[in-house]
Amino acid sequence: MSVMTGRFWPAAAALLPAAVAAVHIGPAATWLPGVRRLLFPGLSGAGRSGHVALTFDDGPDPVSTPYFLDVLDRLGVRATFFVLGEEAVRHPALVRETHWRGHELAVHGWTHDRPWRPSPARDREEVARTAQALYDLTGRYPQWYRPPYGILTTGRWLAARRAGLRTVLWSAWGKDWRADATPASVGARIAMDLLDGGTVLLHDSDRHAAAGCWHAALGALPAIVGECRAAGLTVGPLSDHTPLGHRTTRPPSSRTVASPPAPSR
């Protein structure tokens, strides 16, 4: 073995963990709004002109989600709810209620964790498990995936693709998860960033945020919808927002799936 060869392999072995980490966490740069808008408009939630997609993260939450459903009913608006699998199976009636009211359900992961260490097998299992749970509860397979905290990794992106889901983040958010959030601050923050064809991110739960902060998002909803309509924009779910949206009723696999329970109120 030459001296150069003898030096190469120890150096390569030393660099391997850093390379693996870079591949794993590299896509998280899309968390930066400028990066998303410039390089990945689809990932930022850019959709058809004349429409704004309204989305909510972190539910279902029996304490707060019903209030959002009622306000959306009064406003005549349907939205996309990115739900956590572990909460969906804990509150199946609320998941079904959201679906019955005409809203779209999407995958936010099984738990709300930060993916600092690579775990592709777990990512695949948890994304697929959440998608399957939503199918079992509603009879409709989800279309969309948004990672917790908006932190996209290679493993989670691949897990979503394998599950037949399209990953989407957002164009404008109200920072409604903060302790100092108010309806006015949430609305002003969204108005600052929202453009025609954009996607709004709000939260229908404070489970992973400051206690009680969901009141700020709820209070901001009428003004957000009103301002969009005043600008000539319709507000609705992601499935009405992008030409690539599709309505799927079966999971994208050949495995046998149990029939969903018949809706009953």
Side-chain angles (χ1 to χ4, degrees):
M1 179 183 294
S2 68
V3 173
M4 290 299 295
T5 301
R7 292 175 178 173
F8 171 79
W9 290 113
L15 292 173
L16 183 59
V20 170
V23 170
H24 165 67
I25 206 66
T30 57
W31 189 90
L32 299 170
V35 173
R36 285 203 306 277
R37 285 194 297 266
L38 181 63
L39 300 179
F40 306 99
L43 188 61
S44 74
R48 64 180 174 88
S49 179
H51 189 268
V52 167
L54 180 61
T55 69
F56 296 90
D57 284 6
D58 293 359
D61 189 331
V63 173
S64 51
T65 301
Y67 290 98
F68 286 86
L69 298 179
D70 288 345
V71 169
L72 290 170
D73 272 354
R74 291 199 293 271
L75 294 170
V77 171
R78 299 296 172 259
T80 300
F81 285 80
F82 285 87
V83 304
L84 296 167
E86 66 176 358
E87 300 303 331
V89 298
R90 284 175 184 157
H91 310 291
L94 185 52
V95 172
R96 295 190 186 105
E97 182 71 20
T98 303
H99 172 67
W100 291 331
R101 292 205 193 190
H103 301 289
E104 181 177 44
L105 292 160
V107 173
H108 197 37
W110 189 259
T111 61
H112 203 278
D113 61 338
R114 289 183 172 89
W116 301 133
R117 294 182 179 179
S119 53
R122 188 186 70 178
D123 291 338
R124 287 195 302 272
E125 191 275 334
E126 292 191 348
V127 169
R129 185 181 179 192
T130 304
Q132 182 68 38
L134 293 181
Y135 174 77
D136 290 342
L137 288 169
T138 68
R140 184 172 295 279
Y141 194 80
Q143 300 184 64
W144 312 99
Y145 170 69
R146 178 181 289 157
Y149 302 103
I151 301 173
L152 184 63
T153 65
T154 297
R156 290 187 170 184
W157 179 74
L158 290 172
R161 290 210 38 167
R162 180 169 180 173
L165 307 175
R166 179 177 173 183
T167 301
V168 62
L169 299 181
W170 61 86
S171 307
W173 65 350
K175 292 193 174 181
D176 52 328
W177 38 266
R178 294 166 49 139
D180 60 352
T182 65
S185 73
V186 171
R189 180 73 194 188
I190 286 175
M192 183 189 310
D193 295 330
L194 186 61
L195 301 173
D196 182 4
T199 292
V200 171
L201 164 62
L202 294 171
H203 297 80
D204 62 308
S205 172
D206 62 1
R207 191 180 287 111
H208 302 284
C213 63
W214 61 268
H215 293 281
L218 184 71
L221 262 181
I224 292 170
V225 172
E227 290 178 10
C228 287
R229 287 172 170 167
L233 304 173
T234 58
V235 181
L238 280 165
S239 57
D240 292 343
H241 187 59
T242 168
L244 297 181
H246 60 280
R247 296 193 178 276
T248 305
T249 58
R250 297 290 295 177
S253 73
S254 59
R255 68 182 184 275
T256 302
V257 179
S259 298
S264 60
R265 301 188 75 132

